[in-house]
Structure formats: structure tokens, C-alpha cells
Amino acid sequence: MEKLKIGLPFTGNYRISQLFGNPGKMYSDMGLKGHNGLDFACPTGTPIISSMAGVVEFVGEDSKAGKGVYIISDMGNNEGYRHIYWHLQSFNVKVGNEVKVGDVLGISNNTGMSTGPHLHWGIKPLVLVNGFWQDKYGDNGYRGAVDGFEMFSDLDIGNYKLMKSPILYSQFVKKIQELLNKCGAVLIEDGKFGKKTEQAVIGFQTKNGLKIDGICGRDTVRKLLSLV
């Protein structure tokens, strides 16, 4: 399946507050290896828009995830994607509706098992079997979801250097190292922002006409994502 490049599920800039794969007891209690999506720190009342065109598969509520919407994008050749939007306050669509990129699906909130207002966005590759969509990677420990970080061309990761959670900080730094390596750096992807990683960031910023500060902030991340 061709690698996706998609739009953000909102307009404006809202930082990522949790990455895919982040471990935790809450996830292990649900039989997951870790967090099976990306969380965006959208305040209550933010219009949530469709990242891709497709058909509304599900509109409803779950005791853990709150209110949510699923969109199916048929990519042809019996392959597709399910886009998942959880913790909504209300809905603007119904099952069976066709949606375009940018159509408002609902309004964000804090429904379900959530510690604060945000959008949980997930994506699952699908295969069409006997007329029914099935998870392509259903046994991967994340209920078929995959990491959508590199699918977005426009992200705000916030100031990762001020993050209070050592686990989340390490995950963000590892992501930065992975992206830098894909753009020609040779770094150990250890989640530690040391001198070598800082120099790789400076080198990338210099090469691409960015502000040279050694900090992999919004503009640097967006440039990295545009190149991988």
C-alpha cells in the first residue's frame, strides 16, 4: 500500500500530547502493547475534520473511548484505511455519509476515559475480504492500528524539552532521531538528546534554511516530515 500523506484532523495548531506506542497500565489492562493512536491537545469545542475522503462507518459511543467517528477510505485493489476519531462531544455526520477532506465530523471534548480535553486519532490499514473490511494487522498488539506520525505533513510537537514525562520525552526524541536518519544522519536511536543529536539537528537546519538553534521544534519537524 502506498505511503499516505494526509492533512491534520483540525485547523490551527494543536500539539501532540501523546505518541503511538506510549506504554501504560491502562493500555496493558485493555490488552494493548501501548497507546494505539496519536493524541492532539485540542480544547473542548474544536471542530474535528476528516483527514481523508471516505464513508462514515461508525458514529457512536464507547464506555472507554467516549464518543467517536470512524471513516473508511477505499484505496482500491481491496485495500483501505479506517480513520478513528475519539473523545468527541457531538457529531456532524451519520453512518453512510460520504465525506471530503476538511468536512467537520464532530466537536472535540473529553468523553470516555480521558484525563483532559483532546482528540485521539488512530489509523488502521484494511483489506477487503468477501465484501467486508478487515484489519490488515489485527494481531499487532494495537488492535490493527499503526503509527500515523509520519503520515502528517504539518505537526506541532510542542516544546518536547519541557516535557515532564521521561517516557514521552524519550519517545519524541527517538522520533526526531528516526526522521533525521531518514534524511541522511547517522544517529543511534536511543531517545537521548545528546550532543550528536543536537549537531544533526543544526546540520539539518543549516541545510534547509531554517532557524539554527539545535531545537527540533515545529518548523524543523514539519520540514523533516515533508522529506521522508
Side-chain angles (χ1 to χ4, degrees):
M1 188 179 291
E2 188 174 318
K3 184 176 179 181
L4 289 181
K5 283 291 184 182
I6 61 181
L8 288 170
F10 44 75
T11 57
N13 293 314
Y14 301 111
R15 66 180 178 82
I16 293 178
S17 56
Q18 186 171 195
L19 288 167
F20 182 92
N22 188 36
K25 185 178 185 300
M26 178 173 66
Y27 306 121
S28 60
D29 286 347
M30 291 189 289
L32 296 169
K33 290 182 178 179
H35 188 230
N36 65 342
L38 292 170
D39 284 352
F40 293 94
C42 301
T44 293
T46 302
I48 300 303
I49 61 178
S50 183
S51 299
M52 285 187 69
V55 176
V56 179
E57 179 194 34
F58 169 85
V59 176
E61 191 165 2
D62 176 88
S63 61
K64 294 184 175 64
K67 295 181 178 180
V69 174
Y70 294 175
I71 306 294
I72 298 288
S73 296
D74 188 340
M75 307 301 289
N77 297 319
N78 295 323
E79 294 194 315
Y81 287 95
R82 176 178 290 118
H83 308 266
I84 298 166
Y85 308 80
W86 280 120
H87 306 309
L88 304 184
Q89 172 179 285
S90 59
F91 310 116
N92 282 50
V93 294
K94 296 179 180 180
V95 172
N97 286 168
E98 293 186 8
V99 296
K100 305 183 299 296
V101 175
D103 283 352
V104 176
L105 306 177
I107 304 300
S108 70
N109 195 3
N110 189 30
T111 55
M113 293 176 62
S114 171
T115 58
H118 72 280
L119 170 70
H120 172 97
W121 180 90
I123 188 164
K124 298 184 179 184
L126 305 174
V127 291
L128 193 62
V129 180
N130 297 324
F132 295 93
W133 290 110
Q134 296 184 8
D135 292 334
K136 189 173 184 178
Y137 306 116
D139 59 351
N140 67 351
Y142 299 97
R143 295 179 185 161
V146 296
D147 190 354
F149 189 92
E150 291 182 20
M151 296 179 185
F152 294 107
S153 58
D154 205 13
L155 283 177
D156 182 0
I157 66 167
N159 191 337
Y160 62 92
K161 288 200 169 186
L162 297 180
M163 288 181 181
K164 295 179 181 180
S165 167
I167 293 175
L168 193 54
Y169 172 85
S170 176
Q171 284 186 306
F172 271 113
V173 172
K174 187 173 181 179
K175 281 289 182 188
I176 290 166
Q177 292 168 330
E178 290 173 359
L179 293 173
L180 288 167
N181 283 342
K182 289 180 179 181
C183 292
V186 183
L187 296 169
I188 297 173
E189 296 173 9
D190 58 4
K192 299 176 182 178
F193 200 97
K195 195 66 178 177
K196 290 184 178 178
T197 299
E198 182 181 26
Q199 289 302 314
V201 172
I202 290 172
F204 180 84
Q205 291 171 331
T206 302
K207 182 179 179 180
N208 289 280
L210 301 167
K211 179 181 177 182
I212 303 170
D213 58 8
I215 298 173
C216 203
R218 180 189 301 166
D219 291 340
T220 302
V221 168
R222 288 176 176 175
K223 186 63 178 180
L224 280 165
L225 287 170
S226 74
L227 297 176
V228 298

